[in-house]
């Protein structure tokens, strides 16, 4: 008789610890990437168009989208 090849679906304590550590690094990374990415895009558009307000819209919009993404990804059990 052969052993069952499917792994046990319940994570042990070590796996849960790694998952929590991963989340602890992923969430701030998403927030920072949203602000820097959309803020940089806003700065580039400001530079090309000769304006000075799009960078603020990019920063606020990037933070809002990043918060939404974190809420969507990690907010539900």
């Amino acid at each position: 008789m052969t052993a069952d090849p499917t792994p046990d679906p319940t994570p042990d304590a070590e796996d849960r610890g790694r998952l929590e550590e991963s989340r602890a690094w992923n969430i701030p990374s998403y927030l920072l990437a949203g602000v820097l990415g959309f803020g940089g895009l806003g700065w580039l558009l400001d530079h090309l168009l000769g304006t000075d307000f799009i960078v603020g819209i990019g920063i606020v919009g990037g933070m809002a989208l990043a918060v939404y993404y974190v809420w969507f990804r990690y907010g539900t059990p």
Side-chain angles (χ1 to χ4, degrees), residues 4-76:
D4 186 19
T6 58
D8 184 18
T10 57
D12 61 353
E14 185 177 337
D15 289 338
R16 284 191 301 266
R18 281 191 221 136
L19 180 63
E20 291 299 319
E21 184 179 344
S22 172
R23 286 182 181 174
W25 283 104
N26 285 344
I27 291 172
S29 298
Y30 288 136
L31 296 175
L32 187 61
V35 170
L36 291 177
F38 282 94
L41 183 63
W43 175 83
L44 181 64
L45 288 173
D46 272 343
H47 183 70
L48 293 175
L49 299 174
T51 60
D52 60 352
F53 64 91
I54 300 175
V55 67
I57 294 171
I59 290 171
V60 171
M63 180 56 97
L65 286 173
V67 167
Y68 174 74
Y69 181 74
V70 166
W71 173 73
F72 179 75
R73 181 155 183 185
Y74 297 111
T76 56

